[in-house]
Amino acid sequence: MDRSCVSSRRAFLAALAVAPLSFLVQPDKAWAADGQPITKPIPSTGEPLPVVGMGTWISFNVGGDPVARDARTDVLRAFFAAGGGMIDSSPMYGTAEAVVGSCLARLDRPEGLFSATKVWTSSTAEGLEQIATSERLWGLQRLDLLQVHNLLNWQGHLQTLSAMKADGTVRTIGVTTSHGRRHAELAQILETQPIDFVQLTYNIADRDVEARLLPLAAERGIAVIANRPFQGGSLIDRVKRHPLPGWAREIDCTDWSQVLLKFIVSHPAVTCAIPATSRVDHMEQNMAAARGDMPDAALRRRMAADVAAL
Amino acid sequence: MDLLSYSLVDLIPFSRETYFRLFERYNIGVWPAPIIGLAMGLTALFTARRADGWVLRAPFLLTAACWIWVGWVFQIHWYAPLSWPGIYFGMGFVLQGVLMAVVLGWGPILGSPEATDRNHGPGLWILLFALALQPLLGLLSGRPWYGLEVFGSAPDPTALATLGLLLMIRHPLRWLLSIIPLAWCLISGATLWVLSVPTWPVMPLAVVLYLGVIVWPWVSGRSQLE
């Protein structure tokens, strides 16, 4: 395991230079060790993105509950204190966007935020209104990433998003799926559409995407966001009944969440994972997965085999 | 929207903690509506046991008002922001209230001899359970008293009590009035199941009990409701 010491600035400049070949970068060669989390470049822009981001499905859908909003603000504070970047949400997630926007405002819009949300409507025209609503809820004039949620009307929305990107009203665009749905259609989109990001389900137990979609994304220079890293909690509930394997220490893991996250983000084609949590201690554990050594290909195979055998 | 591409979990984008907190905030926010609703439920309970004059219609009109309240206030204004199907649930609840008011509160029930031919057995027990015991089930899940779900302001006891009331009468359109309460029992049971609430089987079991009581006379050859 190699641990390079590079500053975030140097990592950014280096990433710019190698962005088109970023899928070839071995994750264990790209580490920052200056207290900042490990980053990987977004292939289309070269911008470094911390390999552990944050999802908001369920965890940030708390409505107007002031107690819960306080707790989520603490979670976000811990996220940014640990060098977090990407926050991913969707209009489908109830009040999650409003809650994220409220928390960001209370934290004075922390630096480093990479805002990612989605458009989720069957109507292309309504998509524009929905995007405007999302910008208002987040409290941002321009979002960093807009994705077509669950491929819903992706043909219509990608036209809109491409036009917005050309206008500079959104920085990057992409599409999403989850739970392994519609992979054939997703592959078609990756092959034919000029997108920056693809979001899909990938974790140590759901590895179908390794066969085609991840290599395809790498070949096309598309950043990959891995959702459901813990299978919505069921995966971590299953593995945490067992003691950490000995190899966990080799990659600086102190708990199972870090093992599961390091497995995901150490895949050369994966840009970041987006675990969701409503607890500060879990957030700190998750963000610790963006530090230290990462597994190489041989250890990744062993990790998958050992977890499958549990 | 391609609903078939979504699973049950996709329709419940909140945690059990958030769901329970919703009722705590709602009860406080609409206070004293929960007490008024409960009083209406008790009134329905006592008037349902009477079979003469306008009193016959009172429990149904009271319950109809509760369906409209729950649909408009709870489902659309409190629940729907957390979960988009809440809008449709709300419309369904309002529709149920209107249907009950029209079918059982207006003309058709008047002068309808079979409408007063009631069996108080299973229906009365279900009504009593919905009013008195079902709210207390929340305590088993560790919920505070001010977060309990009560008849008239919360959907589950309102739907369950309605099924009890419907079992206490015979009416040619009873099947129509049963559709939305039965559907809600299944939806609520599924929601609580996804949220791992230990009392989730209560609502689906109510569906089984209700249909069992309806179907039993035909199955057994006996007319228990007559």
Side-chain angles (χ1 to χ4, degrees):
Chain A
M1 315 299 163
D2 182 29
R3 186 185 297 185
S4 303
C5 297
V6 289
S7 70
S8 294
R9 184 183 298 266
R10 287 171 58 196
F12 177 55
L13 293 173
L16 279 177
V18 301
L21 300 175
S22 62
F23 63 93
L24 296 175
V25 174
Q26 287 301 307
D28 57 344
K29 304 289 186 188
W31 302 160
D34 54 358
Q36 292 302 304
I38 296 158
T39 62
K40 287 190 182 183
I42 301 168
S44 65
T45 67
E47 178 183 355
L49 198 60
V51 294
V52 177
M54 192 190 82
T56 57
W57 168 250
I58 292 180
S59 58
F60 273 66
N61 183 20
V62 298
D65 187 344
V67 176
R69 285 191 175 211
D70 286 348
R72 275 30 171 212
T73 303
D74 291 340
V75 169
L76 274 194
R77 185 178 290 110
F79 177 67
F80 286 109
M86 174 181 283
I87 298 176
D88 178 73
S89 193
S90 170
M92 185 194 176
Y93 300 171
T95 58
E97 286 186 298
V99 174
V100 167
S102 162
C103 295
L104 290 174
R106 292 169 70 175
L107 295 174
D108 292 329
R109 314 252 166 240
E111 287 185 18
L113 168 67
F114 188 93
S115 54
T117 192
K118 308 182 185 85
V119 56
W120 177 67
T121 169
S122 53
S123 160
T124 305
E126 280 180 19
L128 278 169
E129 296 172 28
Q130 197 174 66
I131 292 166
T133 300
S134 292
E135 290 169 342
R136 178 176 56 79
L137 292 173
W138 282 73
L140 299 171
Q141 291 187 329
R142 184 175 72 158
L143 292 156
D144 294 307
L145 168 61
L146 276 171
Q147 306 153 96
V148 181
H149 192 144
N150 203 23
L151 306 187
L152 183 63
N153 183 22
W154 64 265
Q155 295 92 338
H157 291 315
L158 274 187
Q159 285 185 7
T160 302
L161 299 187
S162 296
M164 289 181 67
K165 184 182 171 186
D167 291 345
T169 47
V170 66
R171 295 178 59 216
T172 56
I173 63 175
V175 295
T176 79
T177 67
S178 65
H179 300 76
R181 297 169 184 144
R182 300 169 74 176
H183 277 182
E185 193 174 0
L186 185 59
Q188 180 201 343
I189 294 170
L190 295 186
E191 285 170 345
T192 61
Q193 302 298 316
I195 56 176
D196 305 290
F197 279 87
V198 61
Q199 183 178 146
L200 41 74
T201 293
Y202 177 56
N203 57 58
I204 203 167
D206 297 312
R207 301 172 57 203
D208 291 349
V209 296
E210 287 180 352
R212 184 175 182 206
L213 290 174
L214 291 183
L216 183 57
E219 178 190 325
R220 296 274 296 159
I222 296 169
V224 174
I225 304 168
N227 62 33
R228 294 179 56 78
F230 306 141
Q231 285 187 328
S234 61
L235 175 59
I236 203 160
D237 287 344
R238 179 161 62 88
V239 298
K240 75 182 182 185
R241 294 194 292 264
H242 304 275
L244 273 180
W247 43 254
R249 283 193 301 275
E250 298 174 26
I251 50 174
D252 303 316
C253 290
T254 57
D255 63 48
W256 274 108
S257 64
Q258 293 160 11
V259 168
L260 299 180
L261 288 172
K262 287 201 174 192
F263 177 85
I264 296 168
V265 302
S266 62
H267 190 290
V270 173
T271 310
C272 72
I274 47 170
T277 181
S278 56
R279 289 174 46 172
V280 169
D281 57 337
H282 286 175
M283 172 57 74
E284 290 168 346
Q285 288 169 355
N286 291 344
M287 290 307 294
R291 291 183 170 78
D293 284 329
M294 291 280 169
D296 56 20
L299 183 52
R300 293 184 82 254
R301 284 193 293 274
R302 185 177 172 193
M303 292 167 75
D306 286 356
V307 168
L310 291 177
Chain B
M1 189 168 302
D2 182 13
L3 286 176
L4 294 179
S5 69
Y6 293 94
S7 66
L8 181 60
V9 175
D10 292 322
L11 306 180
I12 305 168
F14 47 78
S15 66
R16 178 170 62 177
E17 176 195 20
T18 297
Y19 189 65
F20 289 170
R21 282 282 296 158
L22 170 66
F23 285 99
E24 294 172 24
R25 294 188 297 116
Y26 168 68
N27 284 344
I28 293 170
V30 301
W31 185 265
I35 293 297
I36 295 171
L38 198 55
M40 291 170 74
L42 292 172
T43 306
L45 171 66
F46 290 111
T47 54
R49 303 181 66 187
R50 304 280 298 275
D52 54 329
W54 67 269
V55 178
L56 171 66
R57 288 172 288 158
F60 299 103
L61 287 173
L62 288 171
T63 306
C66 292
W67 275 89
I68 293 170
W69 167 274
V70 174
W72 181 252
V73 179
F74 177 79
Q75 297 283 18
I76 291 177
H77 288 278
W78 286 78
Y79 183 82
L82 292 177
S83 180
W84 56 271
I87 292 287
Y88 303 102
F89 297 157
M91 291 192 287
F93 269 63
V94 171
L95 175 63
Q96 175 72 13
V98 172
L99 280 175
M100 286 184 68
V102 170
V103 172
L104 296 174
W106 245 271
I109 199 170
L110 295 177
S112 173
E114 64 270 30
T116 62
D117 186 5
R118 292 183 281 181
N119 181 302
H120 287 163
L124 186 60
W125 284 111
I126 290 177
L127 181 57
L128 276 170
F129 176 83
L131 287 171
L133 290 181
Q134 191 178 17
L136 301 179
L137 291 178
L139 297 175
L140 297 177
S141 303
R143 300 165 67 173
W145 64 269
Y146 57 87
L148 300 182
E149 301 168 46
V150 296
F151 173 87
S153 61
D156 285 11
T158 303
L160 206 53
T162 302
L163 292 179
L165 283 168
L166 290 173
L167 278 181
M168 294 168 70
I169 64 162
R170 284 178 60 84
H171 191 281
L173 291 179
R174 182 169 66 177
W175 65 271
L176 176 66
L177 299 176
S178 304
I179 294 172
I180 291 175
L182 289 173
W184 178 255
C185 287
L186 296 177
I187 290 167
S188 177
T191 301
L192 298 177
W193 176 69
V194 168
L195 297 177
S196 301
V197 177
T199 55
W200 72 266
V202 169
M203 297 296 277
L205 282 175
V207 173
V208 174
L209 178 61
Y210 182 84
L211 295 177
V213 172
I214 297 286
V215 170
W216 179 249
W218 282 274
V219 173
S220 67
R222 293 181 292 134
S223 182
Q224 291 186 332
L225 295 179
E226 294 181 356

mmCIF file of all heavy atoms in Angstrom, chain B residues 156-191:
data_model
loop_
_atom_site.group_PDB
_atom_site.id
_atom_site.type_symbol
_atom_site.label_atom_id
_atom_site.label_comp_id
_atom_site.label_asym_id
_atom_site.label_seq_id
_atom_site.Cartn_x
_atom_site.Cartn_y
_atom_site.Cartn_z
ATOM 1 N N ASP B 156 -54.934 5.929 10.643
ATOM 2 C CA ASP B 156 -55.147 4.507 10.950
ATOM 3 C C ASP B 156 -56.380 4.250 11.810
ATOM 4 O O ASP B 156 -57.251 3.452 11.427
ATOM 5 C CB ASP B 156 -53.897 3.921 11.618
ATOM 6 C CG ASP B 156 -52.774 3.691 10.607
ATOM 7 O OD1 ASP B 156 -52.900 4.183 9.460
ATOM 8 O OD2 ASP B 156 -51.787 3.030 10.956
ATOM 9 N N PRO B 157 -56.502 4.870 12.982
ATOM 10 C CA PRO B 157 -57.704 4.604 13.778
ATOM 11 C C PRO B 157 -58.981 5.078 13.103
ATOM 12 O O PRO B 157 -60.059 4.476 13.300
ATOM 13 C CB PRO B 157 -57.450 5.344 15.099
ATOM 14 C CG PRO B 157 -56.296 6.212 14.884
ATOM 15 C CD PRO B 157 -55.544 5.720 13.702
ATOM 16 N N THR B 158 -58.870 6.118 12.286
ATOM 17 C CA THR B 158 -60.069 6.593 11.571
ATOM 18 C C THR B 158 -60.530 5.539 10.561
ATOM 19 O O THR B 158 -61.731 5.235 10.465
ATOM 20 C CB THR B 158 -59.762 7.922 10.851
ATOM 21 O OG1 THR B 158 -59.299 8.871 11.822
ATOM 22 C CG2 THR B 158 -60.996 8.471 10.151
ATOM 23 N N ALA B 159 -59.589 4.974 9.836
ATOM 24 C CA ALA B 159 -59.951 3.943 8.856
ATOM 25 C C ALA B 159 -60.485 2.691 9.543
ATOM 26 O O ALA B 159 -61.482 2.104 9.110
ATOM 27 C CB ALA B 159 -58.731 3.600 8.003
ATOM 28 N N LEU B 160 -59.830 2.319 10.624
ATOM 29 C CA LEU B 160 -60.250 1.098 11.321
ATOM 30 C C LEU B 160 -61.632 1.280 11.939
ATOM 31 O O LEU B 160 -62.497 0.383 11.846
ATOM 32 C CB LEU B 160 -59.220 0.769 12.405
ATOM 33 C CG LEU B 160 -59.100 -0.690 12.818
ATOM 34 C CD1 LEU B 160 -58.888 -1.579 11.608
ATOM 35 C CD2 LEU B 160 -57.946 -0.857 13.794
ATOM 36 N N ALA B 161 -61.865 2.418 12.553
ATOM 37 C CA ALA B 161 -63.182 2.678 13.145
ATOM 38 C C ALA B 161 -64.262 2.677 12.070
ATOM 39 O O ALA B 161 -65.389 2.207 12.304
ATOM 40 C CB ALA B 161 -63.165 4.020 13.877
ATOM 41 N N THR B 162 -63.924 3.178 10.905
ATOM 42 C CA THR B 162 -64.898 3.200 9.813
ATOM 43 C C THR B 162 -65.288 1.781 9.407
ATOM 44 O O THR B 162 -66.466 1.498 9.160
ATOM 45 C CB THR B 162 -64.313 3.954 8.603
ATOM 46 O OG1 THR B 162 -63.971 5.280 9.016
ATOM 47 C CG2 THR B 162 -65.299 4.016 7.454
ATOM 48 N N LEU B 163 -64.310 0.909 9.358
ATOM 49 C CA LEU B 163 -64.639 -0.484 9.036
ATOM 50 C C LEU B 163 -65.559 -1.075 10.099
ATOM 51 O O LEU B 163 -66.491 -1.828 9.780
ATOM 52 C CB LEU B 163 -63.351 -1.310 8.933
ATOM 53 C CG LEU B 163 -62.438 -0.974 7.747
ATOM 54 C CD1 LEU B 163 -61.184 -1.847 7.779
ATOM 55 C CD2 LEU B 163 -63.175 -1.161 6.427
ATOM 56 N N GLY B 164 -65.293 -0.735 11.363
ATOM 57 C CA GLY B 164 -66.183 -1.212 12.429
ATOM 58 C C GLY B 164 -67.589 -0.699 12.243
ATOM 59 O O GLY B 164 -68.562 -1.461 12.343
ATOM 60 N N LEU B 165 -67.715 0.594 11.939
ATOM 61 C CA LEU B 165 -69.052 1.173 11.729
ATOM 62 C C LEU B 165 -69.758 0.516 10.543
ATOM 63 O O LEU B 165 -70.961 0.239 10.601
ATOM 64 C CB LEU B 165 -68.923 2.678 11.493
ATOM 65 C CG LEU B 165 -68.661 3.548 12.727
ATOM 66 C CD1 LEU B 165 -68.278 4.956 12.301
ATOM 67 C CD2 LEU B 165 -69.894 3.576 13.632
ATOM 68 N N LEU B 166 -69.014 0.276 9.490
ATOM 69 C CA LEU B 166 -69.627 -0.318 8.297
ATOM 70 C C LEU B 166 -70.102 -1.738 8.569
ATOM 71 O O LEU B 166 -71.081 -2.209 7.961
ATOM 72 C CB LEU B 166 -68.642 -0.305 7.129
ATOM 73 C CG LEU B 166 -68.321 1.076 6.545
ATOM 74 C CD1 LEU B 166 -67.205 0.984 5.499
ATOM 75 C CD2 LEU B 166 -69.568 1.706 5.929
ATOM 76 N N LEU B 167 -69.409 -2.415 9.474
ATOM 77 C CA LEU B 167 -69.860 -3.776 9.806
ATOM 78 C C LEU B 167 -71.145 -3.748 10.619
ATOM 79 O O LEU B 167 -71.833 -4.767 10.740
ATOM 80 C CB LEU B 167 -68.772 -4.507 10.598
ATOM 81 C CG LEU B 167 -67.644 -5.149 9.792
ATOM 82 C CD1 LEU B 167 -66.671 -5.856 10.725
ATOM 83 C CD2 LEU B 167 -68.173 -6.112 8.740
ATOM 84 N N MET B 168 -71.472 -2.597 11.197
ATOM 85 C CA MET B 168 -72.651 -2.510 12.060
ATOM 86 C C MET B 168 -73.912 -2.205 11.275
ATOM 87 O O MET B 168 -74.988 -2.098 11.868
ATOM 88 C CB MET B 168 -72.412 -1.437 13.139
ATOM 89 C CG MET B 168 -71.293 -1.837 14.106
ATOM 90 S SD MET B 168 -70.736 -0.488 15.168
ATOM 91 C CE MET B 168 -72.159 -0.286 16.226
ATOM 92 N N ILE B 169 -73.781 -2.014 9.978
ATOM 93 C CA ILE B 169 -74.975 -1.744 9.182
ATOM 94 C C ILE B 169 -75.015 -2.659 7.968
ATOM 95 O O ILE B 169 -74.026 -3.287 7.606
ATOM 96 C CB ILE B 169 -75.022 -0.282 8.682
ATOM 97 C CG1 ILE B 169 -73.837 -0.027 7.718
ATOM 98 C CG2 ILE B 169 -75.040 0.695 9.843
ATOM 99 C CD1 ILE B 169 -74.022 1.187 6.851
ATOM 100 N N ARG B 170 -76.187 -2.705 7.368
ATOM 101 C CA ARG B 170 -76.302 -3.326 6.051
ATOM 102 C C ARG B 170 -76.758 -2.237 5.089
ATOM 103 O O ARG B 170 -77.691 -1.499 5.370
ATOM 104 C CB ARG B 170 -77.319 -4.468 6.072
ATOM 105 C CG ARG B 170 -76.793 -5.722 6.733
ATOM 106 C CD ARG B 170 -77.847 -6.797 6.770
ATOM 107 N NE ARG B 170 -78.296 -7.176 5.430
ATOM 108 C CZ ARG B 170 -77.665 -8.051 4.661
ATOM 109 N NH1 ARG B 170 -76.568 -8.627 5.108
ATOM 110 N NH2 ARG B 170 -78.126 -8.351 3.470
ATOM 111 N N HIS B 171 -76.067 -2.153 4.007
ATOM 112 C CA HIS B 171 -76.402 -1.133 3.033
ATOM 113 C C HIS B 171 -75.920 -1.606 1.671
ATOM 114 O O HIS B 171 -74.827 -2.194 1.575
ATOM 115 C CB HIS B 171 -75.722 0.197 3.396
ATOM 116 C CG HIS B 171 -76.225 1.363 2.600
ATOM 117 N ND1 HIS B 171 -75.821 1.616 1.317
ATOM 118 C CD2 HIS B 171 -77.123 2.340 2.907
ATOM 119 C CE1 HIS B 171 -76.434 2.703 0.867
ATOM 120 N NE2 HIS B 171 -77.242 3.159 1.821
ATOM 121 N N PRO B 172 -76.692 -1.373 0.625
ATOM 122 C CA PRO B 172 -76.287 -1.870 -0.702
ATOM 123 C C PRO B 172 -74.972 -1.272 -1.198
ATOM 124 O O PRO B 172 -74.321 -1.865 -2.051
ATOM 125 C CB PRO B 172 -77.454 -1.463 -1.609
ATOM 126 C CG PRO B 172 -78.234 -0.453 -0.846
ATOM 127 C CD PRO B 172 -78.047 -0.766 0.588
ATOM 128 N N LEU B 173 -74.583 -0.113 -0.675
ATOM 129 C CA LEU B 173 -73.332 0.498 -1.137
ATOM 130 C C LEU B 173 -72.198 0.355 -0.115
ATOM 131 O O LEU B 173 -71.203 1.061 -0.176
ATOM 132 C CB LEU B 173 -73.560 1.976 -1.466
ATOM 133 C CG LEU B 173 -74.428 2.245 -2.698
ATOM 134 C CD1 LEU B 173 -74.614 3.734 -2.920
ATOM 135 C CD2 LEU B 173 -73.821 1.603 -3.945
ATOM 136 N N ARG B 174 -72.384 -0.573 0.824
ATOM 137 C CA ARG B 174 -71.331 -0.759 1.817
ATOM 138 C C ARG B 174 -70.005 -1.147 1.159
ATOM 139 O O ARG B 174 -68.932 -0.728 1.603
ATOM 140 C CB ARG B 174 -71.746 -1.830 2.832
ATOM 141 C CG ARG B 174 -70.711 -2.047 3.924
ATOM 142 C CD ARG B 174 -71.229 -2.892 5.047
ATOM 143 N NE ARG B 174 -71.514 -4.259 4.631
ATOM 144 C CZ ARG B 174 -71.925 -5.218 5.454
ATOM 145 N NH1 ARG B 174 -72.160 -4.939 6.730
ATOM 146 N NH2 ARG B 174 -72.150 -6.429 5.009
ATOM 147 N N TRP B 175 -70.083 -1.937 0.096
ATOM 148 C CA TRP B 175 -68.851 -2.351 -0.585
ATOM 149 C C TRP B 175 -68.072 -1.137 -1.097
ATOM 150 O O TRP B 175 -66.843 -1.090 -1.044
ATOM 151 C CB TRP B 175 -69.178 -3.296 -1.743
ATOM 152 C CG TRP B 175 -69.968 -2.647 -2.850
ATOM 153 C CD1 TRP B 175 -71.320 -2.563 -2.963
ATOM 154 C CD2 TRP B 175 -69.432 -1.931 -3.975
ATOM 155 N NE1 TRP B 175 -71.681 -1.853 -4.079
ATOM 156 C CE2 TRP B 175 -70.539 -1.468 -4.727
ATOM 157 C CE3 TRP B 175 -68.145 -1.648 -4.427
ATOM 158 C CZ2 TRP B 175 -70.383 -0.721 -5.894
ATOM 159 C CZ3 TRP B 175 -67.996 -0.918 -5.587
ATOM 160 C CH2 TRP B 175 -69.108 -0.462 -6.320
ATOM 161 N N LEU B 176 -68.837 -0.154 -1.603
ATOM 162 C CA LEU B 176 -68.194 1.043 -2.153
ATOM 163 C C LEU B 176 -67.474 1.819 -1.046
ATOM 164 O O LEU B 176 -66.349 2.305 -1.233
ATOM 165 C CB LEU B 176 -69.241 1.928 -2.825
ATOM 166 C CG LEU B 176 -68.746 3.273 -3.364
ATOM 167 C CD1 LEU B 176 -67.766 3.064 -4.504
ATOM 168 C CD2 LEU B 176 -69.920 4.134 -3.830
ATOM 169 N N LEU B 177 -68.152 1.895 0.100
ATOM 170 C CA LEU B 177 -67.564 2.654 1.210
ATOM 171 C C LEU B 177 -66.411 1.918 1.874
ATOM 172 O O LEU B 177 -65.705 2.491 2.715
ATOM 173 C CB LEU B 177 -68.653 2.966 2.243
ATOM 174 C CG LEU B 177 -69.820 3.805 1.722
ATOM 175 C CD1 LEU B 177 -70.874 3.975 2.806
ATOM 176 C CD2 LEU B 177 -69.331 5.165 1.247
ATOM 177 N N SER B 178 -66.242 0.650 1.541
ATOM 178 C CA SER B 178 -65.184 -0.148 2.174
ATOM 179 C C SER B 178 -63.863 -0.057 1.428
ATOM 180 O O SER B 178 -62.805 -0.358 1.994
ATOM 181 C CB SER B 178 -65.607 -1.639 2.221
ATOM 182 O OG SER B 178 -66.835 -1.784 2.875
ATOM 183 N N ILE B 179 -63.921 0.340 0.165
ATOM 184 C CA ILE B 179 -62.728 0.230 -0.684
ATOM 185 C C ILE B 179 -61.561 1.060 -0.133
ATOM 186 O O ILE B 179 -60.448 0.547 0.070
ATOM 187 C CB ILE B 179 -63.055 0.669 -2.133
ATOM 188 C CG1 ILE B 179 -64.037 -0.326 -2.753
ATOM 189 C CG2 ILE B 179 -61.775 0.758 -2.967
ATOM 190 C CD1 ILE B 179 -64.568 0.107 -4.106
ATOM 191 N N ILE B 180 -61.801 2.334 0.115
ATOM 192 C CA ILE B 180 -60.698 3.207 0.540
ATOM 193 C C ILE B 180 -60.195 2.845 1.947
ATOM 194 O O ILE B 180 -58.971 2.758 2.159
ATOM 195 C CB ILE B 180 -61.102 4.690 0.425
ATOM 196 C CG1 ILE B 180 -61.234 5.057 -1.067
ATOM 197 C CG2 ILE B 180 -60.108 5.607 1.122
ATOM 198 C CD1 ILE B 180 -61.740 6.464 -1.330
ATOM 199 N N PRO B 181 -61.095 2.582 2.920
ATOM 200 C CA PRO B 181 -60.565 2.164 4.234
ATOM 201 C C PRO B 181 -59.746 0.878 4.161
ATOM 202 O O PRO B 181 -58.699 0.768 4.814
ATOM 203 C CB PRO B 181 -61.837 1.958 5.075
ATOM 204 C CG PRO B 181 -62.850 2.831 4.442
ATOM 205 C CD PRO B 181 -62.556 2.822 2.976
ATOM 206 N N LEU B 182 -60.209 -0.082 3.371
ATOM 207 C CA LEU B 182 -59.448 -1.328 3.248
ATOM 208 C C LEU B 182 -58.099 -1.069 2.565
ATOM 209 O O LEU B 182 -57.070 -1.597 2.998
ATOM 210 C CB LEU B 182 -60.255 -2.357 2.447
ATOM 211 C CG LEU B 182 -61.472 -2.951 3.154
ATOM 212 C CD1 LEU B 182 -62.287 -3.821 2.188
ATOM 213 C CD2 LEU B 182 -61.055 -3.771 4.376
ATOM 214 N N ALA B 183 -58.144 -0.258 1.518
ATOM 215 C CA ALA B 183 -56.888 0.051 0.823
ATOM 216 C C ALA B 183 -55.914 0.746 1.769
ATOM 217 O O ALA B 183 -54.715 0.444 1.790
ATOM 218 C CB ALA B 183 -57.162 0.930 -0.393
ATOM 219 N N TRP B 184 -56.438 1.665 2.591
ATOM 220 C CA TRP B 184 -55.547 2.371 3.513
ATOM 221 C C TRP B 184 -54.944 1.411 4.543
ATOM 222 O O TRP B 184 -53.775 1.536 4.928
ATOM 223 C CB TRP B 184 -56.254 3.514 4.229
ATOM 224 C CG TRP B 184 -55.287 4.165 5.190
ATOM 225 C CD1 TRP B 184 -55.260 4.041 6.539
ATOM 226 C CD2 TRP B 184 -54.140 4.946 4.823
ATOM 227 N NE1 TRP B 184 -54.176 4.709 7.051
ATOM 228 C CE2 TRP B 184 -53.474 5.272 6.021
ATOM 229 C CE3 TRP B 184 -53.639 5.400 3.610
ATOM 230 C CZ2 TRP B 184 -52.305 6.037 6.027
ATOM 231 C CZ3 TRP B 184 -52.461 6.162 3.620
ATOM 232 C CH2 TRP B 184 -51.814 6.470 4.817
ATOM 233 N N CYS B 185 -55.756 0.451 4.993
ATOM 234 C CA CYS B 185 -55.225 -0.521 5.956
ATOM 235 C C CYS B 185 -54.009 -1.239 5.367
ATOM 236 O O CYS B 185 -53.008 -1.466 6.062
ATOM 237 C CB CYS B 185 -56.300 -1.544 6.332
ATOM 238 S SG CYS B 185 -57.585 -0.887 7.401
ATOM 239 N N LEU B 186 -54.093 -1.594 4.101
ATOM 240 C CA LEU B 186 -52.971 -2.296 3.466
ATOM 241 C C LEU B 186 -51.779 -1.356 3.256
ATOM 242 O O LEU B 186 -50.625 -1.741 3.480
ATOM 243 C CB LEU B 186 -53.420 -2.884 2.124
ATOM 244 C CG LEU B 186 -54.512 -3.962 2.229
ATOM 245 C CD1 LEU B 186 -54.947 -4.430 0.842
ATOM 246 C CD2 LEU B 186 -54.019 -5.150 3.062
ATOM 247 N N ILE B 187 -52.076 -0.131 2.839
ATOM 248 C CA ILE B 187 -50.991 0.844 2.638
ATOM 249 C C ILE B 187 -50.282 1.129 3.959
ATOM 250 O O ILE B 187 -49.048 1.152 4.039
ATOM 251 C CB ILE B 187 -51.555 2.145 2.031
ATOM 252 C CG1 ILE B 187 -51.995 1.903 0.582
ATOM 253 C CG2 ILE B 187 -50.532 3.278 2.101
ATOM 254 C CD1 ILE B 187 -52.837 3.033 0.002
ATOM 255 N N SER B 188 -51.063 1.335 4.992
ATOM 256 C CA SER B 188 -50.464 1.641 6.290
ATOM 257 C C SER B 188 -49.670 0.451 6.814
ATOM 258 O O SER B 188 -48.566 0.623 7.349
ATOM 259 C CB SER B 188 -51.563 2.009 7.297
ATOM 260 O OG SER B 188 -50.997 2.226 8.568
ATOM 261 N N GLY B 189 -50.233 -0.741 6.662
ATOM 262 C CA GLY B 189 -49.511 -1.933 7.098
ATOM 263 C C GLY B 189 -48.181 -2.062 6.374
ATOM 264 O O GLY B 189 -47.152 -2.376 6.988
ATOM 265 N N ALA B 190 -48.193 -1.800 5.060
ATOM 266 C CA ALA B 190 -46.951 -1.890 4.279
ATOM 267 C C ALA B 190 -45.950 -0.832 4.733
ATOM 268 O O ALA B 190 -44.750 -1.102 4.843
ATOM 269 C CB ALA B 190 -47.269 -1.721 2.796
ATOM 270 N N THR B 191 -46.453 0.362 5.006
ATOM 271 C CA THR B 191 -45.558 1.437 5.463
ATOM 272 C C THR B 191 -44.893 1.059 6.783
ATOM 273 O O THR B 191 -43.673 1.183 6.942
ATOM 274 C CB THR B 191 -46.358 2.743 5.651
ATOM 275 O OG1 THR B 191 -46.955 3.099 4.407
ATOM 276 C CG2 THR B 191 -45.460 3.880 6.122
#
